[in-house]
């Protein structure tokens, strides 16, 4: 999600105002029945839906909270027909007459089947709730996790490729048009479009796909980005069905590709049924008058901060159309926790990227993280922690597992973060003159701060994303600088993430955001330019594609580079040198010259890492380097040398 310097600009939306406002005046609309509802309509006349839509036996947490929605359902009493291993612990009414909460305990020995629930009120209603067999723990092809051996490709499904034109327009949704000439309209990309280009991603060296949210976003404006979800339990039908998503994950796994699910904890869309017909007032943060948030994550751990400032950060709406769930409410917290566990078990996906991570209630974040990792300790998880350059590594490290004592009761259990500090560092290295702590030295001092993380290798490093100006434009459309940036990305510690199109020099500045979210050329029938094929790429695009592919595929097969140790040396002017190595004798030397002049580097001071090595191979050019005593490094060039004994 986008957070600009002083005032967020509705990040992914293109909207113009942000505030913690009272609920916007929205006329409740009919609520769609969940695609996966297990009951025929004639048996559930008084029930619109139950969330979660189904569940599993054998979960580590035996407790299950069902949220029942239906006209006047609160006037019913609930009975559960005898089912071995399942206990009805009770049910409770909420402020709205249209909700009931049912609490169940499912013992470890419970068998799969259908629970028979009966709602006795003005009208008796029966509902069969499905308990499925859990498959994830015994299936090694599911929930594989995401780690530093991976190379993540981030894309926006609506803007990548249109594989199924039949789902472009879905009748009954608030936007029933496709307009590729509008940056805020739907363009028609979908899950099938991504799947059609698995081979392209594999050739590039990608091992994991991160689409922006695929859940339903039935909002009247700029719904293509997905961050204002309107149904927690449904894939947006313009991308495909729930089952299509399950098959998408399965087919990705069959092709050696992992899938990262982009999740939003902090907010939802104002056309979500939970907001249109609110279970209770305390399910959302609602202010009596217009209140603008401060968007300062530092208020959470500020030793001198006020409670009011923290409140203005954690309980304000992210945008006028993005209600803020009250995660301190245990019922809300359980609803959200169960939903994201549901997606993992249902699809077998491999990791979560958590949007606007710091904005959620701190205590909830700890509970949510523990609950998810208790069920899936192997799940990859990293949060968006968009701290500003001036805030520094310490503020970013606060949001991941670290060596800090709890602050205001918060101690992060998030494995990793999106490493904005490293993004700023490489950008400074390639756009500013070298100095004591400026230019190329920014990488040195940023990585020096890794002592604050439990494990910085779990951080996701990147050059740009859907909210930021594309790196090629930031670097002045300088191909040499672009290659240096990409070489750094694929040799640095952590998990590299590439934003779609960076490999073919897609460009533009994020003013507004839609300019950095253009369609990938060739993703639509009739596109004159098809960058998915070598024949369709321009010579310059092909050269950059090959640069990424060569390094990414080399990285994939060389553990020293993706999971080895790291040692760096104090920068010498515009030259910065670091090594990636392991105990098995693999060693890669990376020499960055960010200056405007060629440099001859005396390697004597690197003896600590060069001892025993007599030659090298230049990974990018393929040339042999027979003398390691000195190295000639052209201006704006990075050497990647595999050392030989």
């Amino acid at each position: 999600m986008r957070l600009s310097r002083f005032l967020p600009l509705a990040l992914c939306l293109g909207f113009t105002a942000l505030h913690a406002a009272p609920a916007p005046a929205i006329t409740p609309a009919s609520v769609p029945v969940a695609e996966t509802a297990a009951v025929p309509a004639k048996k559930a006349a008084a029930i619109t839906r139950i969330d979660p839509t189904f569940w599993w036996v054998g979960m580590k947490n035996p407790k299950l909270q069902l949220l029942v929605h239906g006209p006047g359902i609160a006037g019913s009493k609930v009975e559960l027909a005898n089912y071995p291993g399942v206990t009805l612990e009770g049910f409770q009414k909420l402020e709205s007459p249209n909700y009931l909460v049912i609490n169940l305990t499912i013992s470890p020995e419970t068998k799969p089947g259908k629970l028979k629930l009966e709602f006795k009120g003005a009208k008796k209603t029966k509902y069969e709730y499905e308990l499925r067999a859990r498959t994830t723990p015994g299936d090694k092809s599911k929930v594989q996790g995401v780690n530093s051996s991976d190379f993540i490709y981030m894309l926006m499904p609506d803007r990548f490729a249109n594989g199924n034109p039949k789902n472009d327009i879905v009748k009954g949704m608030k936007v029933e048009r496709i307009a590729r000439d509008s940056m805020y309209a739907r363009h028609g990309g979908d899950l099938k479009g991504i799947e059609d280009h698995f081979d392209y991603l594999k050739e590039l060296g990608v091992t994991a796909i991160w689409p922006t949210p695929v859940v339903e976003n039935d909002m009247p404006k700029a719904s293509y980005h997905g961050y204002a979800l309107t149904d927690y339990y449904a894939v947006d039908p313009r991308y495909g069905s729930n089952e299509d998503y399950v098959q998408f994950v399965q087919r990705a796994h069959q092709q050696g590709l992992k899938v990262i699910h982009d999740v939003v904890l902090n907010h939802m869309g104002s056309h979500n049924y939970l907001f249109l017909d609110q279970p209770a007032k305390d399910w959302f943060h609602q202010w009596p008058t217009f209140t603008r948030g401060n968007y300062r994550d530092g208020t959470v751990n500020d030793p001198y901060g006020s409670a009011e400032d923290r409140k203005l950060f954690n309980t304000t709406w992210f945008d006028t159309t993005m209600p803020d769930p009250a995660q301190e409410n245990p019922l809300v917290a359980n609803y959200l926790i169960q939903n994201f566990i549901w997606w993992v078990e249902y699809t077998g996906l491999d990791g979560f990227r958590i949007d606007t991570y710091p904005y959620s209630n701190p205590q909830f974040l700890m509970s949510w993280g523990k609950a998810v990792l208790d069920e899936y300790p192997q799940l990859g998880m990293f949060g968006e922690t968009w701290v500003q350059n001036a805030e520094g590594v310490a503020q970013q490290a606060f949001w991941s597992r670290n060596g800090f004592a709890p602050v205001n009761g918060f101690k992060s259990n998030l494995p990793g973060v999106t490493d904005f500090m490293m993004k700023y560092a490489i950008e400074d290295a390639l756009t500013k003159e070298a100095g004591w702590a400026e230019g190329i030295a920014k990488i040195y001092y940023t990585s020096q701060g890794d002592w604050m993380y439990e494990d910085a290798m779990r951080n996701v490093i990147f050059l740009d994303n859907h909210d930021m100006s594309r790196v090629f434009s930031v670097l002045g459309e300088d191909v040499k600088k672009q290659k240096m940036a990409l070489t750094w990305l694929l040799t640095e510690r952590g998990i590299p993430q590439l934003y779609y199109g960076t490999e073919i020099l897609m460009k533009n500045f994020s003013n507004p955001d839609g300019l950095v979210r253009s369609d990938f050329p060739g993703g639509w029938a009739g596109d004159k330019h098809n960058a998915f094929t070598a024949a369709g790429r321009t010579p310059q695009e092909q050269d950059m594609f090959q640069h990424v592919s060569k390094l990414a595929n080399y990285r994939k097969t060389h553990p020293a580079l993706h999971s080895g140790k790291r040692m760096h040396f104090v920068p010498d002017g515009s030259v910065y040198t670091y090594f990636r190595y392991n105990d098995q004798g693999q060693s890669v030397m990376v020499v960055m010259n960010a200056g405007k002049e060629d440099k001859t580097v005396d390697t004597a001071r690197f003896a600590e890492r060069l001892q025993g090595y007599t030659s090298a191979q230049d990974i990018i050019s393929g040339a042999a380097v027979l003398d390691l005593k000195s190295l000639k490094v052209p201006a704006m060039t990075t050497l990647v040398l595999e050392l030989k004994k």
Side-chain angles (χ1 to χ4, degrees):
M1 300 296 266
R2 181 168 180 77
L3 179 64
S4 54
R5 179 62 175 152
F6 296 109
L7 175 65
L9 295 176
L11 55 116
C12 307
L13 293 175
F15 295 145
T16 58
L18 278 158
H19 63 265
I26 297 174
T27 303
S30 58
V31 182
V33 176
E35 174 191 354
T36 50
V39 184
K42 65 180 181 179
K43 289 187 178 182
I47 297 175
T48 303
R49 61 187 291 162
I50 294 182
D51 293 342
T53 52
F54 49 81
W55 201 246
W56 295 267
V57 299
M59 304 299 284
K60 186 171 182 179
N61 183 354
K63 303 295 183 181
L64 176 62
Q65 170 188 295
L66 301 180
L67 182 66
V68 184
H69 181 259
I73 195 67
S76 302
K77 291 185 178 181
V78 183
E79 292 183 0
L80 171 66
N82 182 55
Y83 193 100
V86 180
T87 304
L88 174 62
E89 301 293 353
F91 57 93
Q92 64 188 97
K93 300 178 181 180
L94 302 176
E95 288 180 22
S96 169
N98 300 327
Y99 289 91
L100 270 178
V101 172
I102 300 175
N103 295 306
L104 302 174
T105 298
I106 304 171
S107 65
E109 65 272 12
T110 305
K111 302 298 183 184
K114 293 184 178 180
L115 305 180
K116 298 183 184 300
L117 295 168
E118 186 169 359
F119 298 82
K120 295 183 176 180
K123 181 179 180 180
K124 290 183 180 180
T125 302
K126 294 182 179 180
Y127 193 104
E128 290 187 343
Y129 186 83
E130 184 180 7
L131 290 179
R132 298 184 175 184
R134 188 177 183 187
T135 61
T136 298
D139 190 340
K140 300 298 183 183
S141 70
K142 295 184 176 182
V143 198
Q144 299 171 30
V146 180
N147 55 53
S148 61
S149 68
D150 286 307
F151 177 30
I152 300 171
Y153 193 84
M154 180 197 179
L155 56 84
M156 304 195 79
D158 183 66
R159 304 299 166 88
F160 190 64
N162 188 352
N164 180 15
K166 293 180 180 179
N167 63 22
D168 287 357
I169 297 174
V170 177
K171 290 184 178 180
M173 301 200 80
K174 292 174 181 60
V175 176
E176 293 187 1
R177 74 185 187 106
I178 293 294
R180 290 185 66 195
D181 59 350
S182 168
M183 69 175 69
Y184 297 120
R186 287 266 175 177
H187 290 192
D190 49 31
L191 292 171
K192 182 64 166 58
I194 303 171
E195 191 175 320
D196 287 346
H197 298 290
F198 280 170
D199 286 346
Y200 171 85
L201 299 177
K202 290 169 61 180
E203 182 184 358
L204 189 61
V206 168
T207 67
I209 308 166
W210 161 16
T212 51
V214 299
V215 292
E216 183 194 273
N217 191 325
D218 191 15
M219 297 290 287
K221 294 181 180 179
S223 65
Y224 71 92
H225 60 76
Y227 289 99
L229 63 96
T230 53
D231 191 331
Y232 280 94
Y233 284 93
V235 168
D236 194 296
R238 291 161 293 193
Y239 293 151
S241 66
N242 278 19
E243 189 56 32
D244 288 337
Y245 188 42
V246 173
Q247 293 176 5
F248 174 83
V249 175
Q250 291 174 347
R251 290 166 182 161
H253 287 168
Q254 291 166 2
Q255 294 294 316
L257 296 166
K258 299 175 181 180
V259 176
I260 296 168
H261 190 70
D262 201 337
V263 303
V264 186
L265 299 180
N266 179 67
H267 47 267
M268 65 175 70
S270 56
H271 286 268
N272 192 304
Y273 93 97
L274 290 171
F275 184 71
L276 293 175
D277 184 8
Q278 298 174 29
K281 292 184 180 65
D282 65 356
W283 274 57
F284 297 93
H285 293 129
Q286 303 188 61
W287 294 68
T289 59
F290 177 89
T291 306
R292 190 177 299 283
N294 57 31
Y295 308 102
R296 301 278 188 172
D297 66 294
T299 59
V300 177
N301 59 347
D302 184 352
Y304 314 111
S306 72
E308 179 66 14
D309 281 346
R310 284 193 290 274
K311 181 180 178 182
L312 286 169
F313 174 70
N314 279 131
T315 67
T316 49
W317 287 22
F318 208 82
D319 182 72
T320 55
T321 56
M322 290 179 169
D324 200 64
Q327 297 159 341
E328 66 275 12
N329 181 331
L331 297 178
V332 176
N334 283 340
Y335 184 93
L336 294 173
I337 288 169
Q338 288 180 165
N339 175 253
F340 296 108
I341 289 174
W342 186 90
W343 279 111
V344 180
E345 188 64 36
Y346 179 45
T347 66
L349 57 88
D350 305 292
F352 281 158
R353 177 266 187 181
I354 306 102
D355 183 69
T356 54
Y357 182 79
Y359 286 76
S360 289
N361 177 279
Q363 297 302 313
F364 166 76
L365 288 176
M366 290 193 293
S367 298
W368 180 83
K370 182 179 186 305
V372 172
L373 291 173
D374 278 351
E375 295 289 353
Y376 308 100
Q378 75 278 30
L379 184 73
M381 283 176 45
F382 58 97
E384 180 197 32
T385 52
W386 193 339
V387 298
Q388 298 301 311
N389 200 347
E391 294 177 79
V393 176
Q395 186 60 25
Q396 182 171 276
F398 172 75
W399 296 109
S400 73
R401 290 179 184 168
N402 55 59
F404 307 150
V407 178
N408 294 328
F410 178 73
K411 175 69 174 173
S412 181
N413 54 24
L414 183 67
V417 296
T418 49
D419 203 333
F420 280 83
M421 290 300 121
M422 283 298 243
K423 177 261 189 298
Y424 300 140
I426 184 61
E427 188 175 297
D428 283 3
L430 299 178
T431 59
K432 296 182 180 180
E433 293 292 331
W436 182 264
E438 299 79 34
I440 197 77
K442 186 69 177 291
I443 302 177
Y444 174 83
Y445 281 107
T446 301
S447 57
Q448 178 269 338
D450 281 358
W451 63 270
M452 288 179 267
Y453 301 103
E454 180 182 87
D455 186 358
M457 291 288 280
R458 295 194 291 253
N459 287 355
V460 171
I461 59 175
F462 63 101
L463 301 171
D464 51 11
N465 61 29
H466 62 308
D467 290 327
M468 312 184 89
S469 296
R470 284 189 173 271
V471 65
F472 191 45
S473 294
V474 172
L475 298 179
E477 299 184 26
D478 187 316
V479 171
K480 284 188 174 182
K481 289 184 178 181
Q482 179 90 337
K483 285 187 175 181
M484 282 193 74
L486 288 163
T487 302
W488 169 85
L489 182 73
L490 291 164
T491 57
E492 185 56 271
R493 62 94 176 121
I495 309 170
Q497 169 244 300
L498 190 77
Y499 184 42
Y500 80 100
T502 301
E503 73 279 11
I504 56 162
L505 301 175
M506 286 179 68
K507 59 188 178 182
N508 233 319
F509 293 95
S510 58
N511 186 25
D513 292 337
L515 294 174
V516 299
R517 302 169 182 177
S518 300
D519 296 345
F520 192 99
W524 279 254
D527 281 2
K528 294 180 180 179
H529 178 197
N530 182 7
F532 282 118
T533 68
R537 291 190 281 269
T538 67
Q540 197 176 45
E541 289 172 346
Q542 177 66 6
D543 178 58
M544 194 61 66
F545 178 91
Q546 289 180 324
H547 182 80
V548 175
S549 178
K550 179 178 289 187
L551 279 171
N553 284 292
Y554 176 84
R555 181 182 186 277
K556 188 187 302 184
T557 57
H558 288 75
L561 203 54
H562 63 65
S563 54
K565 301 173 185 177
R566 183 185 191 277
M567 181 181 292
H568 67 173
F569 291 79
V570 173
D572 181 9
S574 64
V575 177
Y576 175 56
T577 302
Y578 57 94
F579 293 78
R580 301 298 307 279
Y581 60 100
N582 60 24
D583 294 335
Q584 288 69 50
Q586 288 186 357
S587 187
V588 176
M589 180 182 188
V590 182
V591 187
M592 301 179 68
N593 177 13
K596 298 177 182 178
E597 298 179 354
D598 299 351
K599 297 288 184 180
T600 298
V601 178
D602 185 341
T603 64
R605 72 186 186 107
F606 309 135
E608 188 174 355
R609 288 301 329 142
L610 288 176
Q611 187 174 4
Y613 294 100
T614 58
S615 62
Q617 182 178 14
D618 187 317
I619 300 307
I620 298 173
S621 70
V625 180
L626 302 179
D627 184 2
L628 294 179
K629 292 181 180 179
S630 65
L631 298 170
K632 292 183 178 180
V633 189
M636 282 298 166
T637 300
T638 299
L639 299 183
V640 183
L641 306 177
E642 181 181 337
L643 300 179
K644 308 284 187 179
K645 292 185 176 180

